[in-house]
Amino acid sequence: MINDTLILVNKENGLPSSYIPTDLELIDHKFAYDNKYLRKEARHSIEKLGSDALSLGYKIVVVSAFRDYKYQHDLHHEYIKVKGLEDAQLCSARPGYSEHQTGLAIDAMGSNNDYNLFEDSIEFKWMKNNAHKYGFILRYPKDKTNITGYKYEPWHYRYVGLKAALDIYKNDLTLEEYIKKQT
Ligand SMILES: [Zn+2]
């Protein structure tokens, strides 16, 4: 189901080009750069995560969240122009196949102010051990490219809900593996 929190969007499973979630909400500017939107449940959870992190001295900022089809189209073609098709496909989704279109995915930036270098931030270490407590998973882990189709993205997190996030975290799974396990 398209509005399911566990919706699988990857290279094989896409969304209609017209799909825009109906419950998108603006993330509090305290936790996001500029105007960023997520679906209600994910928006609530990322603000709780951001606020708890902040109280411990970690500054986590959402630099990308919901992206519509058109935005992804332009972004993907920009990647192809710069990196070439093969490289672009490992780090950028073609339009209709981006998890960002679900309104359940974010790219995070830490206190070192560069999402590309999120892995080097103190926030990354915190996220690694705590994101699942808020229903988020590291979506493209290291050494899972053969399953996810994407190279390691330490900054990209996906909201899947508390139960799934805990199982995925504990058993070191990808969303693909988790969903397969359920059926
Ligand atoms: Zn992302």
Side-chain angles (χ1 to χ4, degrees):
M1 287 245 293
I2 203 161
N3 285 317
D4 195 317
T5 323
L6 283 172
I7 186 168
L8 181 65
V9 173
N10 58 17
K11 298 217 185 256
E12 286 84 40
N13 302 281
L15 293 164
S17 59
S18 61
Y19 177 70
I20 296 173
T22 52
D23 59 349
L24 287 176
E25 295 183 355
L26 181 68
I27 303 170
D28 187 329
H29 281 178
K30 210 164 154 189
F31 310 112
Y33 177 74
D34 208 358
N35 292 340
K36 298 288 179 300
Y37 297 84
L38 283 179
R39 290 186 54 196
K40 187 183 174 72
E41 204 179 317
R43 193 274 304 160
H44 184 262
S45 291
I46 199 64
E47 288 182 0
K48 179 90 176 76
L49 181 156
S51 151
D52 287 355
L54 203 56
S55 70
L56 297 167
Y58 301 104
K59 192 171 171 261
I60 293 163
V61 177
V62 174
V63 291
S64 189
F66 170 71
R67 301 199 293 249
D68 68 12
Y69 183 92
K70 170 77 171 71
Y71 187 100
Q72 189 65 28
H73 174 274
D74 296 349
L75 187 67
H76 188 60
H77 286 272
E78 194 54 38
Y79 267 107
I80 293 174
K81 231 184 351 191
V82 175
K83 294 180 171 251
L85 184 61
E86 208 169 310
D87 268 10
Q89 279 170 339
L90 277 173
C91 63
S92 165
R94 65 189 196 275
Y97 293 81
S98 169
E99 234 187 11
H100 285 279
Q101 198 185 335
T102 66
L104 296 168
I106 63 147
D107 295 334
M109 187 174 80
S111 52
N112 60 349
N113 290 321
D114 184 345
Y115 83 92
N116 269 301
L117 301 175
F118 188 62
E119 193 180 14
D120 302 332
S121 69
I122 51 167
E123 284 77 12
F124 173 72
K125 285 184 197 79
W126 187 84
M127 280 293 270
K128 211 176 157 153
N129 299 317
N130 295 284
H132 67 280
K133 298 173 188 166
Y134 302 86
F136 283 89
I137 58 161
L138 177 68
R139 181 65 177 91
Y140 307 118
K142 227 176 209 166
D143 307 321
K144 297 271 193 177
T145 301
N146 60 327
I147 300 167
T148 64
Y150 289 96
K151 66 179 189 190
Y152 181 39
E153 287 194 5
W155 58 84
H156 182 109
Y157 295 83
R158 161 68 195 272
Y159 183 77
V160 292
L162 287 175
K163 185 173 165 279
L166 181 63
D167 194 339
I168 288 168
Y169 171 79
K170 269 198 188 154
N171 297 301
D172 193 24
L173 302 173
T174 58
L175 186 55
E176 280 81 4
E177 293 167 304
Y178 176 78
I179 286 170
K180 205 179 242 175
K181 216 174 73 159
Q182 309 304 305
T183 50

